[in-house]
């Protein structure tokens, strides 16, 4: 339902995002090579072996900390133009990169914050429509979302480089802080995590150990 809403409301915006990609050398490479993001195309164990300060390591640690996988993204169904359909798919599959980059969990208040960021950065109507879910937050969380996260998301999203033009797969080994500075992204207000970072790091270390054991076997 949410995926279908995103596709049916994205029509006027997708050509503009495509233009942004065509204006960027990095974006043109993405359109030419059409990379996909899932556990078949991304070697998570290799990312886990990268230094802790890298984007790739931060991404796989974020996946472990949140208990999610990139394999859950729906394919595009309702956009006929193959190039625009790929732009929509790319947006959808890159969403978790924004989480990892900004250090935000996946609970409702932080998903909403990231949707406001996406709307300010990319202009997709579905991102703005998603904020109707703010009614699901209790009064305390709603007040913090409106007073702290919305201002951050609007300012940061509008000031930073268009996220659709970033070839994230070429940035795995890049220092996370340097990447954020390059893209013009600054940290949001500190979130509250359910799982300690230490547990995520242990899970990431197990990925490496399992991979090494498989290679030795």
């Amino acid at each position: 339902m949410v995926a279908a809403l995103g596709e049916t409301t994205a029509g006027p915006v997708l050509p503009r995002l495509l233009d942004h990609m065509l204006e960027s050398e990095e974006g043109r490479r993405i359109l030419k090579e059409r990379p996909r993001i899932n556990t078949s195309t991304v070697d998570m164990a290799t990312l886990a072996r990268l230094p802790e300060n890298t984007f790739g390591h931060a991404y796989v640690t974020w996946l472990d900390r949140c208990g999610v996988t990139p394999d859950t993204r729906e394919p595009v169904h309702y956009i006929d133009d193959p190039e625009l359909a790929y732009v929509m798919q790319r947006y959808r599959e890159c969403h978790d990169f924004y989480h990892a980059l900004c250090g935000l969990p996946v609970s409702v208040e932080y998903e909403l914050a990231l949707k406001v960021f996406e709307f300010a950065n990319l202009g997709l109507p579905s991102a703005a429509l998603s904020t109707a879910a703010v009614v699901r937050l209790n009064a305390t969380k709603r007040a913090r979302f409106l007073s702290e996260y919305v201002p951050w998301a609007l300012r940061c999203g509008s000031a930073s480089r268009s996220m659709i033009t970033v070839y994230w797969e070429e940035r795995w080994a890049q220092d996370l802080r340097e990447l954020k500075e390059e893209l013009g992204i600054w940290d949001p207000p500190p979130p509250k995590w359910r799982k300690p970072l230490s547990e995520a790091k242990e899970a990431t270390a197990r990925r490496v150990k399992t991979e090494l054991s498989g290679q030795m076997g």
Side-chain angles (χ1 to χ4, degrees), residues 61 64 197-208:
T61 301
D64 288 331
L197 180 59
S198 58
E199 290 186 21
K201 288 184 176 181
E202 289 173 4
T204 303
R206 286 195 294 272
R207 284 182 184 266
V208 175

Side-chain angles (χ1 to χ4, degrees), residues 180-192:
K180 292 167 73 172
E181 289 178 357
E182 177 189 336
L183 300 179
I185 290 178
W186 59 90
D187 289 336
K192 296 179 180 179

Side-chain angles (χ1 to χ4, degrees), residues 3-4 7 74-80 85 88-89 92:
E7 293 176 33
E74 284 286 325
V76 173
H77 295 290
Y78 304 108
I79 299 173
D80 294 329
M88 187 68 192
Q89 190 71 44
R92 192 171 286 170

Side-chain angles (χ1 to χ4, degrees), residues 7 13 46 53 79 88 110 117 135 151 164 192 207 212:
E7 293 176 33
V13 179
T46 296
N53 64 306
I79 299 173
M88 187 68 192
Y110 307 120
F117 171 89
V135 297
I164 200 68
K192 296 179 180 179
R207 284 182 184 266
L212 291 175

Side-chain angles (χ1 to χ4, degrees), residues 101 156 159-161 163 168 171 174-187:
L101 196 67
C156 189
S160 57
R161 171 177 161 182
M163 297 293 105
W168 300 101
R171 307 303 191 102
Q174 186 170 353
D175 180 86
L176 183 64
R177 185 180 299 275
E178 290 180 1
L179 177 59
K180 292 167 73 172
E181 289 178 357
E182 177 189 336
L183 300 179
I185 290 178
W186 59 90
D187 289 336

Side-chain angles (χ1 to χ4, degrees), residues 3-190:
L5 176 65
E7 293 176 33
T8 55
T9 59
V13 179
L14 289 177
R16 179 170 58 81
L17 295 181
L18 176 61
D19 287 342
H20 287 174
M21 297 178 77
L22 290 171
E23 292 167 0
S24 159
E25 181 181 346
E26 211 167 326
R28 290 194 296 273
R29 286 203 309 277
I30 297 170
L31 291 171
K32 180 180 179 180
E33 299 171 13
R34 296 200 176 190
R36 298 295 302 274
I37 302 161
N38 53 60
T39 53
S40 296
T41 62
V42 178
D43 188 337
M44 299 297 173
T46 296
L47 299 188
R49 290 196 296 271
L50 290 171
E52 288 192 13
N53 64 306
T54 60
F55 169 63
H57 189 94
Y59 170 61
V60 75
T61 301
W62 180 87
L63 291 173
D64 288 331
R65 194 175 190 183
C66 294
V68 298
T69 168
D71 294 334
T72 58
R73 297 300 172 190
E74 284 286 325
V76 173
H77 295 290
Y78 304 108
I79 299 173
D80 294 329
D81 184 286
E83 202 155 34
L84 295 181
Y86 176 74
V87 173
M88 187 68 192
Q89 190 71 44
R90 181 69 178 175
Y91 154 73
R92 192 171 286 170
E93 293 181 358
C94 289
H95 175 79
D96 288 346
F97 293 154
Y98 313 155
H99 270 284
L101 196 67
C102 297
L104 290 173
V106 293
S107 53
V108 174
E109 60 197 296
Y110 307 120
E111 283 288 352
L112 293 179
L114 207 57
K115 287 299 181 182
V116 176
F117 171 89
E118 288 181 340
F119 177 70
N121 186 264
L122 303 171
L124 288 166
S126 60
L129 293 172
S130 297
T131 60
V134 69
V135 297
R136 296 171 55 189
L137 300 177
N138 62 37
T140 300
K141 290 183 177 180
R142 190 182 310 127
R144 187 177 188 223
F145 170 73
L146 294 173
S147 65
E148 298 184 25
Y149 283 99
V150 168
W152 164 80
L154 290 174
R155 289 197 298 268
C156 189
S158 60
S160 57
R161 171 177 161 182
S162 177
M163 297 293 105
I164 200 68
T165 67
V166 182
Y167 206 145
W168 300 101
E169 298 90 334
E170 295 181 349
R171 307 303 191 102
W172 295 134
Q174 186 170 353
D175 180 86
L176 183 64
R177 185 180 299 275
E178 290 180 1
L179 177 59
K180 292 167 73 172
E181 289 178 357
E182 177 189 336
L183 300 179
I185 290 178
W186 59 90
D187 289 336

